[in-house]
Amino acid sequence: MTEETFRHTPVMPDEVTRLLRPERGGVFLDATIGGAGHAIRLLETGSAVRVIGIDQDGEAIEAARRRLAPLSKRVRLIRANFRDLGRPEFAAEVDGVAGALMDLGVSSHQIDTKARGFSFRPGTPLGMRMDETRRERSAADLLNRADEHELGRVFRDGEERRWRVLSREVVRRRKIRSFSMSNDLVAALSAVLGRPVQEKRKARLFQALRIAVNDELAALGEGLGGIRGRLAPGGRLVVLSYHSLEDRVVKRAFREWSAECVCPPGLPECRCRGESLGRVLTRRPLRPAEEEVARNPRARSARLRAWEKRLADG
C-alpha cells in the first residue's frame, strides 16, 4: 500500500477552504485525514498554517505521513477515533484550534480494498471495521449474532422498506449457514424481494451495516461535542456528511449549540447555560456543483454544514 492508493479528490474543497479561512493562519484539525486532500489545500494557503490530522485507520495515517512529508514540519498526525477528542489526554495537542474539518463516510481506498470488506461486490468478506486493531464485531459477526430486533433496527435505519422480512430471513438463513461474504447478504435480500437487487439498494443496505459495525452515529455525536470544546473562540467547524442519518446528527448539534436556551418546555425559568455557544454559518447544507460531481462522483451525495464558536466575552 502506498500513499497513491489513498489519494482522492477532496470533496467541495473551495467551500471548505472559504469557510475555515486558513489565510488567517493557526492550527487546523482534520479529524478524518484520509487521503490528506483537504489538509494539503489548507497547508498550501500559507506558511502560517499548521494541521493536526486524525484518523482511526492506520493505513490512512501512514499514507498521509508519506504524502505530507514535504510539509512535515507543519503537520502532526495522530491515530485515534475522533470520538475521543474530548478526553483529557488530547487537551495539550488539540486545544484552541482555529478550525476543524470532519469529512465523514468511507474512503475510496477502503471500498476498493477487498480484504477490508466494505464493498457489496461479489466475493467480498463481510468485514467493515474502520479500525482493524480493535476487537469490535465485524459485519459478519453482527449478521450471525444479533437478534432479529437489532437486525431490524439496522436495516430500517438503512431505509430498507422490507426490513422486518429481511431480518427474519437473515436469522433463518444463518441457522443453515453462517454469513461470511457479501453474496450471502445480497442473496437474502434478493430472496425477500423475489428479484435481483438494484445497486442503489445494495449500497444503502451495506452502508447501514457499516454504520452499525463502527457505531458511527454515536461516534459522530461524541466527536462533534469533543471538537467543539477544542475550538478557539471564533473557531469554525465544517462537516461533510454523505447520508441523511449523519446530516441529521450534525444539524441537530449545530442547532442546539446555537440556541440561547435548551431547557425542556414547561420549566418556569431557564436553568441551562442561558446563552448560545456560537452560530450556524450554513442555514441549509451546501451541495456540490454539477461540475464537481461530473469530475468527482463521490461528491454527489455530499452535504456541507458549518458552525462558528462564540467569541470570548469582553
Side-chain angles (χ1 to χ4, degrees):
M1 194 273 296
T2 70
E3 67 270 25
E4 293 296 328
T5 65
F6 248 101
R7 283 185 186 243
H8 74 291
T9 303
V11 173
M12 301 179 71
D14 294 338
E15 293 85 347
V16 168
T17 304
R18 174 176 59 83
L19 285 161
L20 286 179
R21 303 179 299 177
E23 66 276 2
R24 298 173 300 154
V27 179
F28 291 82
L29 175 66
D30 186 338
T32 47
I33 190 104
H38 287 110
I40 287 176
R41 285 290 296 261
L42 294 173
L43 290 162
E44 288 177 342
T45 305
S47 59
V49 174
R50 292 176 53 223
V51 167
I52 299 172
I54 306 287
D55 209 293
Q56 62 180 318
D57 190 322
E59 291 184 355
I61 288 291
E62 291 309 310
R65 194 184 310 281
R66 287 189 287 270
R67 190 175 184 196
L68 295 171
L71 303 165
S72 61
K73 291 182 179 180
R74 294 192 283 132
V75 176
R76 172 90 167 93
L77 297 176
I78 303 171
R79 183 174 184 180
N81 190 315
F82 57 58
R83 76 188 308 168
D84 298 325
L85 290 176
R87 294 168 61 175
E89 54 263 41
F90 286 99
E93 297 190 84
V94 297
D95 251 2
V97 295
L101 169 67
M102 302 173 79
D103 184 3
L104 306 174
V106 63
S107 72
S108 300
H109 169 78
Q110 289 166 329
I111 293 174
D112 294 339
T113 304
K114 196 171 187 179
R116 298 295 299 271
F118 284 96
S119 171
F120 55 77
R121 296 187 187 102
T124 301
L126 287 164
M128 300 192 183
R129 292 187 184 98
M130 291 284 193
D131 183 349
E132 294 187 294
T133 65
R134 297 191 176 188
R135 292 186 171 273
E136 283 93 348
R137 59 187 176 180
S138 65
D141 293 334
L142 190 154
L143 291 169
N144 290 319
R145 299 175 188 173
D147 60 29
E148 188 175 315
H149 175 77
E150 183 180 359
L151 288 171
R153 178 185 57 77
V154 171
F155 299 151
R156 183 189 62 218
D157 287 348
E159 301 177 335
E160 172 49 55
R161 296 187 297 275
R162 303 295 303 279
W163 60 270
R164 288 189 180 88
V165 184
L166 178 58
S167 59
R168 287 197 294 270
E169 180 67 11
V170 168
V171 170
R172 185 190 71 80
R173 285 178 173 243
R174 73 191 189 191
K175 293 176 181 176
I176 302 169
R177 191 182 71 177
S178 296
F179 284 74
S180 63
M181 308 297 282
S182 57
N183 313 53
D184 300 329
L185 182 55
V186 173
L189 181 55
S190 180
V192 165
L193 299 177
R195 62 180 184 275
V197 186
Q198 295 178 328
E199 298 290 288
K200 187 175 181 179
R201 199 161 188 168
K202 291 180 194 176
R204 283 202 307 265
L205 180 61
F206 277 69
Q207 175 178 267
L209 195 57
R210 187 205 80 219
I211 290 169
V213 167
N214 295 286
D215 195 24
E216 291 180 30
L217 297 183
L220 174 57
E222 294 171 24
L224 286 166
I227 292 173
R228 185 201 72 204
R230 302 304 182 194
L231 289 174
R236 293 182 169 187
L237 171 57
V238 173
V239 183
L240 281 163
S241 59
Y242 296 88
H243 58 78
S244 59
L245 295 175
E246 288 176 339
D247 184 59
R248 197 174 303 139
V249 173
V250 178
K251 178 182 178 181
R252 186 183 303 122
F254 285 4
R255 183 174 57 204
E256 179 179 315
W257 300 350
S258 303
E260 292 186 357
C261 177
V262 292
C263 289
L267 283 183
E269 60 182 16
C270 178
R271 297 179 182 176
C272 69
R273 60 180 183 254
E275 61 183 8
S276 70
L277 301 176
R279 65 188 181 107
V280 174
L281 299 173
T282 48
R283 290 184 60 190
R284 295 179 180 177
L286 304 183
R287 304 299 299 267
E290 293 181 6
E291 295 81 3
E292 178 176 0
V293 173
R295 295 192 308 270
N296 181 17
R298 177 176 178 260
R300 181 177 294 107
S301 58
R303 300 174 177 89
L304 185 154
R305 294 185 186 271
W307 183 83
E308 182 180 76
K309 190 170 185 176
R310 183 171 62 92
L311 289 169
D313 292 333

